[in-house]
Amino acid sequence: MEFKLNDNGCSSAECVIVPVFENQELCVSCEGIKKMINSVRNSEAFKAVKGDIYHFTNISEETIKHILLVGLGKNEEITSEDVRKIFSKVVKKARELKIASASVKFFTTDGLCKKGTIKAIAEGMALADYSFDKYKTNKSEITLKEVSIVDINDEDKEILESALKEGLSLIKSTVFARDLVNEPANTIYPETLAERCIDAGKAYGFEIEVLDENQIRELGMEAFLAVGMSAFNKPRFIIMRYFGNKEDKENILGLVGKGLTYDAGGYSLKPTQGMVDMKSDMGGAAAVIGAMCSIAEMKLKKNVVAVVAACENLISNDAYKPGDIISSMAGKTIEVVNTDAEGRLTLADAVYYITSRENVNKVIDVATLTGAVLGALGTLTTGVITNDEAFYNDLLSAGKRSGEKFWQLPAFEEYKELLKSKVADYKNSGGRFAGTITAGLFIGEFLYKPMPWLHLDIAGTSFVDGAKDYLTAGGTAAPLRTLYYLVREN
Ligand code: BES
Ligand code: MN
Ligand code: ZN
């Protein structure tokens, strides 16, 4: 789908999309169209509530074959997330009608900035149109190819042009991240994930370093290795660096993405049903890699280092076993009580590495970590553990821009007692109760020194069974856009 800005009200597109507020007069320049719209405007057929769509066809105008009226609800109530959702419906309708080109009449609202509005229109449409069909013989037809956003004031053009550019970058990164998640584990494994990062680094402008198993061993990442050595496809440690503000090297944000390219559970084997979607256990890595792409492409004047400890959790002669006691880069020992609690082991070393070797002063880990977060928050909201309320509030503000939702879980000291082992410094699972909290707190024990830290458990939000609004079935790329805004705004 291609987007462009066009200040010419009546364009050559075959469909005109007219957003309508429930409580506001229309301003449409074409008299003919205005007449038609007003004929249904106040009828039962189209109330202009959020997400209402009304379709006119066989219009006498030359090229215009369709008009879609789109309800926006009340002007003062609409959010950017509403805009994304509404325009995801528009694109589905356009697909149904096999519309190839459309012009969208731009609109302004009391509560939203114009830049946020234009990005939300593009994101809602393009992201809803995503499909992962490269392995299907009959591919889903891409119908809507060209979208022009029209009726833009001359004085807004430049600013909206740059906002759209940012939106298109985030769309591209989101598609990249969704593809990475949706690719099965027989095509994306540590080595190929690293190759994709190398290509992305070249394309978008961030530095990249990939460590192999020997270099990982030299760093003492024994917890990560214990997980990764179970597989024929050997682990890789991927480091991505972007310094957009070299004068301010005191401020470097660290991003850590869980990168289990497959999680069978190891000897604490998952049942088949729990295993089918475990190619998605690198959703954290995908979000972090995608965020780096847009951060670099948009040349943000910020410093960010991202790492991914990429490996598979399988069964083999080399696999770690329940009961094993392993060490870690931090030197802390861990009793492995469950080989399926592997993510926190890889993250313990990745978090220790980034906080000790990369000079970051804040760190965020993003992980498909626990099934328990699905029980607590479902697929709507990412669970958060933090040691810093101000950092958490920054996350929430970024989430307001992206539309992605977050909720903090309690991190009281007492929960850490559940992680005490009789034979080692920690055990890797605190058991059934408070599973998301203890998993997060485990990772927090591996910061090299105290600093603001956010742990995002995206097991529920990064992969969904069915399409909903602009999220498509499979990988969602959450919380990629939030990470981008968090970097941009702080
Ligand atoms: N990758 C899984 C978590 C997961 C579950 C992600 C469902 C997406 C959907 C993780 O490695 C895992 O297996 N966690 C265990 C932890 C337990 C053994 C303490 C879990 O949640 O059951
Ligand atoms: Mn697991
Ligand atoms: Zn896992």
Side-chain angles (χ1 to χ4, degrees), residues 258 263 270 278 281 338 340 342 344 368-371 429 459:
K258 175 173 171 180
D263 178 16
K270 287 182 186 294
M278 277 304 131
D281 212 15
N338 191 322
D340 198 13
E342 85 298 335
R344 65 199 73 182
T368 47
L369 206 65
T370 65
S429 165

Side-chain angles (χ1 to χ4, degrees), residues 19-251:
V20 187
F21 283 111
E22 215 178 312
N23 54 344
Q24 202 170 294
E25 266 314 300
L26 267 182
C27 66
V28 173
S29 47
C30 298
E31 275 307 316
I33 293 177
K34 195 169 187 174
K35 227 185 234 166
M36 295 184 55
I37 293 171
N38 278 329
S39 70
V40 291
R41 178 75 170 83
N42 298 312
S43 73
E44 281 296 304
F46 180 74
K47 291 219 170 77
V49 296
K50 266 177 212 173
D52 248 5
I53 295 187
Y54 190 90
H55 173 222
F56 289 105
T57 190
N58 291 328
I59 296 152
S60 53
E61 300 282 331
E62 285 129 52
T63 50
I64 302 169
K65 295 201 197 84
H66 308 272
I67 298 181
L68 289 180
L69 299 189
V70 180
L72 298 177
K74 296 199 173 69
N75 185 326
E76 64 280 7
E77 283 174 6
I78 193 162
T79 65
S80 66
E81 184 67 353
D82 290 330
V83 175
R84 275 180 218 102
K85 287 181 181 174
I86 290 166
F87 278 84
S88 74
K89 282 193 176 170
V90 169
V91 88
K92 283 169 199 167
K93 186 75 188 176
R95 198 187 298 151
E96 209 179 287
L97 296 167
K98 297 201 178 345
I99 290 167
S101 62
S103 61
V104 178
K105 208 181 124 28
F106 190 60
F107 59 95
T108 55
T109 84
D110 298 343
L112 291 176
C113 68
K114 292 172 185 170
K115 295 187 282 180
T117 305
I118 201 157
K119 276 190 287 185
I121 293 172
E123 285 166 356
M125 293 183 83
L127 296 180
D129 213 30
Y130 172 88
S131 72
F132 184 72
D133 57 9
K134 68 183 268 200
Y135 296 105
K136 283 198 166 190
T137 306
N138 299 318
K139 309 211 185 295
S140 60
E141 217 181 313
I142 303 166
T143 49
L144 185 53
K145 294 201 177 80
E146 270 176 61
V147 178
S148 54
I149 302 175
V150 301
D151 276 10
I152 286 167
N153 293 336
D154 272 344
E155 66 266 26
D156 291 336
K157 221 179 159 189
E158 207 170 307
I159 195 163
L160 289 181
E161 203 73 76
S162 78
L164 184 60
K165 188 174 154 224
E166 186 179 50
L168 296 180
S169 171
L170 289 167
I171 288 165
K172 194 164 48 163
S173 301
T174 299
V175 166
F176 177 49
R178 285 184 183 180
D179 281 346
L180 285 178
V181 175
N182 292 332
E183 280 289 344
N186 54 336
T187 64
I188 290 287
Y189 42 91
E191 195 185 342
T192 52
L193 182 65
E195 282 165 7
R196 302 282 179 116
C197 292
I198 292 169
D199 294 345
K202 281 186 193 143
Y204 299 106
F206 55 81
E207 291 167 36
I208 171 129
E209 190 181 342
V210 178
L211 310 182
D212 66 15
E213 53 182 306
N214 293 322
Q215 293 165 301
I216 294 166
R217 189 170 292 110
E218 273 163 32
L219 282 169
M221 295 184 171
E222 291 186 26
F224 171 34
L225 274 181
V227 179
M229 293 311 286
S230 64
F232 173 79
N233 290 318
K234 292 301 176 232
R236 292 290 183 273
F237 193 75
I238 305 165
I239 308 158
M240 291 158 274
R241 301 184 183 92
Y242 172 75
F243 299 112
N245 188 356
K246 294 205 167 81
E247 275 89 73
D248 189 24
K249 282 266 177 115
E250 309 291 280
N251 279 310

